[in-house]
Amino acid sequence: MNIILLGYGRMGHEIEQVALDAGHNVILKIDKDNSDDLNTQNISAADVAIEFTGPDTAPDLIMKAIRLGLPVVSGSTGWQDRFGEVTSFCNEHNGAFLYASNFSIGANILFHL
């Protein structure tokens, strides 16, 4: 799988290592200094964008990726005040978007309980 990382902080580095260990490719890393690199030309070989930025940048980056036709998996928190806007945008653009505030199996079992 060809992955674009949206956010290259601590979680971005962890995701990159797990992806590479599993035989996937990280073809682009977007951070605060190169967000303009998220463009049609640079995403042509991508299968998915995995987003772990922050509340100030997550919604706009997610919508930009969806606008470009990229499915997005997001784990950033703190931006849920714009969640409805992002999901509506995704639906309007026939996009694919998966969000979870925590991807830990244990945390999700606890949420369920």
Side-chain angles (χ1 to χ4, degrees):
M1 184 178 321
N2 292 324
I3 299 168
I4 292 177
L5 296 177
L6 302 177
Y8 198 56
R10 188 178 68 228
M11 274 307 291
H13 282 84
E14 290 295 324
I15 292 166
E16 177 182 38
Q17 191 58 56
V18 170
L20 294 174
D21 290 346
H24 302 294
N25 302 307
V26 175
I27 62 170
L28 182 62
K29 300 170 213 169
I30 298 294
D31 210 350
K32 61 184 177 190
D33 298 326
N34 70 334
S35 62
D36 289 339
D37 289 348
L38 185 61
N39 58 50
T40 305
Q41 180 181 352
N42 289 338
I43 68 152
S44 62
D47 297 307
V48 67
I50 301 176
E51 184 275 328
F52 274 95
T53 57
D56 296 333
T57 56
D60 294 328
L61 273 177
I62 292 166
M63 289 189 290
K64 184 175 183 180
I66 290 169
R67 184 180 309 111
L68 293 169
L70 262 178
V72 179
V73 175
S74 173
S76 291
T77 59
W79 61 272
Q80 284 61 37
D81 58 325
R82 293 186 61 193
F83 187 78
E85 175 188 354
V86 171
T87 55
S88 292
F89 184 89
C90 181
N91 289 332
E92 291 166 9
H93 288 82
N94 219 13
F97 174 58
L98 173 69
Y99 169 78
S101 62
N102 193 315
F103 283 89
S104 159
I105 292 171
N108 279 284
I109 289 172
L110 191 60
F111 291 155
H112 184 71
L113 295 173

